[in-house]
Amino acid sequence: MKTILITGSNKGIGFKIARQLAKSGHHVILSARNETRLKQAVDKLKSEQLDVEDLLMDISDEKSISHAAIEFAKRKIKLDVLINNAAVLFRNDVSIIRENELLLQTVTTNSIGSLLVCKAFLPFMKNPSLIINISSGGGSMTDPVGGWSPAYCVSKTLLNSITRQLAYELLSKNISVNAVCPGWVRTDMGGGGATRSVEKGAETPVWMAVEAPQGITGRFIRDKEEISW
Ligand code: NAP
């Protein structure tokens, strides 16, 4: 049985990952910033007799992250896996020249927020343990630029770079750090026209959390295979 913290898990891919892992007998801590939706998500899984708990945390707010870490310390829990899944994609994300503030907000949540969560929860990570950053093909430096959501894509490129640097920095602590692309998924973020179900989107993150060889680190993964950065 593993203990797994998932940010942004009150809906979408994060919620599906939480449910699948809890159904396999793991203890899952669901986290999000929207308290009502977080409580509803946790209550739903508890009503299915799953072993879950909640942790309120806004990853765009350093104070909220440190409050969450202080609260978490009281619970005397150690983590096998941290999944940085929370992210935003703004509908008016159409130009990084015109929308500087939007770029800043997106990077603050998707990239720096995820890094700050890693930092705050490092004291609770076991040796060995695993960090999974949910990224996107939109952050790839080898795929052609798709012409969609440029601030979001920049934020995922930065998250990928953070993943590689953290993988190096945390080698000595025996913590593996990888980025996972779930594919284009039918969630509030992905929209109804996306090609993948939420189940499919959750499949590789779930595999990375509990089945993939522990030694894999500093990689970008989609559909259980390494892809280029
Ligand atoms: P979603 O349905 O929009 O869910 C986003 C989740 O992130 C929600 O639980 C939301 O919680 C949380 N969140 C947003 N800002 C937060 C903050 N500041 N602090 C804490 N939680 C926050 O998105 P999704 O499609 O499931 O996406 C999940 C992950 O997959 C993201 O990293 C996304 O970039 C990635 N991804 C998605 C797709 C896709 O096609 N859907 C493709 C590639 C990658 P609140 O309700 O509390 O705001």
Side-chain angles (χ1 to χ4, degrees):
M1 192 271 283
K2 294 195 177 197
T3 303
I4 301 163
L5 170 61
I6 311 171
T7 67
S9 49
N10 61 5
K11 62 173 182 156
I13 298 168
F15 180 71
K16 194 60 79 174
I17 297 170
R19 177 185 261 147
Q20 289 186 11
L21 288 168
K23 274 192 168 172
S24 306
H26 302 288
H27 179 63
V28 180
I29 302 109
L30 285 86
S31 181
R33 64 184 161 169
N34 183 304
E35 195 166 8
T36 310
R37 268 204 298 271
L38 178 60
K39 192 172 171 349
Q40 283 166 352
V42 168
D43 286 348
K44 174 130 193 56
L45 296 187
K46 279 188 175 164
S47 75
E48 297 171 17
Q49 274 69 53
L50 298 175
D51 182 19
V52 295
E53 59 185 287
D54 64 291
L55 183 69
L56 192 64
M57 174 165 63
D58 180 346
I59 72 154
S60 69
D61 176 358
E62 206 169 346
K63 279 202 192 103
S64 172
I65 296 173
S66 54
H67 280 142
I70 290 166
E71 164 58 28
F72 195 75
K74 293 181 195 154
R75 303 185 194 177
K76 312 265 181 243
I77 300 173
K78 292 287 177 199
L79 291 171
D80 296 281
V81 187
L82 164 62
I83 304 181
N84 284 304
N85 169 79
V88 288
L89 187 161
F90 296 106
R91 293 299 152 203
N92 52 339
D93 179 2
V94 290
S95 164
I96 51 170
I97 294 174
R98 289 197 301 275
E99 304 286 354
N100 290 167
E101 185 53 38
L102 183 148
L103 172 64
L104 205 61
Q105 278 178 36
T106 306
V107 167
T108 298
T109 302
N110 299 5
S111 338
I112 306 301
S114 295
L115 172 62
L116 293 177
V117 171
C118 292
K119 181 180 171 186
F121 286 81
L122 214 49
F124 313 116
M125 299 299 291
K126 289 185 188 169
N127 178 354
S129 58
L130 181 60
I131 294 172
I132 300 169
N133 293 326
I134 305 297
S135 185
S136 165
S140 169
M141 293 290 281
T142 44
D143 284 357
V145 170
W148 55 276
S149 309
Y152 174 83
C153 292
V154 168
S155 77
K156 292 298 188 177
T157 305
L158 178 54
L159 181 64
N160 285 355
S161 184
I162 287 170
T163 302
R164 287 158 51 100
Q165 297 297 333
L166 273 184
Y168 181 80
E169 211 168 314
L170 297 179
L171 264 183
S172 59
K173 294 191 183 297
N174 221 357
I175 300 173
S176 300
V177 190
N178 294 289
V180 173
C181 168
W184 188 23
V185 180
R186 289 187 292 278
T187 60
D188 288 347
M189 183 185 288
T195 48
R196 293 187 171 200
S197 67
V198 190
E199 284 79 6
K200 184 68 185 164
E203 189 179 274
T204 297
V206 166
W207 171 81
M208 277 303 300
V210 292
E211 280 178 47
Q214 177 74 39
I216 296 178
T217 193
R219 309 290 171 88
F220 192 14
I221 309 282
R222 183 195 287 139
D223 293 334
K224 305 182 186 174
E225 304 275 352
E226 185 174 3
I227 56 173
S228 64
W229 294 105

